[in-house]
Amino acid sequence: MIFIDIDNFKEFNDHYGHAMGDDTLRAVAEALNGCITPHRDLLARYGGEEFVCVLPGVDADEAMQTAHCLRQAILALAIPHAYSTTHSHLTASMGIATPP
């Protein structure tokens, strides 16, 4: 399982507006979907700006490869985020959980 949190999204919404925020979430979801195997995996919004990616039967190495793809997909969107305290474009933080 991979948890994905778009960094500094409150600031994005506050400065660009909720309509742009909604458009951005849709673009991110579409980009993330390109990194999963649709008949096996599940990508879902898990809150305001969080997503969860469920990867049944995937080991830690494969999950890391998927996380790398997810990260690159977000960066490839090159969505400006002038109000982020860390980056000039939209980024995300991720965490992976696998069974022992």
Side-chain angles (χ1 to χ4, degrees), residues 64-98:
M64 285 293 288
Q65 290 173 6
T66 301
H68 180 69
C69 180
L70 297 169
R71 180 180 167 277
Q72 289 302 117
I74 291 170
L75 293 176
L77 292 171
I79 297 172
H81 191 344
Y83 301 96
S84 171
T85 57
T86 57
H87 295 87
S88 60
H89 287 81
L90 195 73
T91 60
S93 297
M94 297 181 197
I96 296 173
T98 59

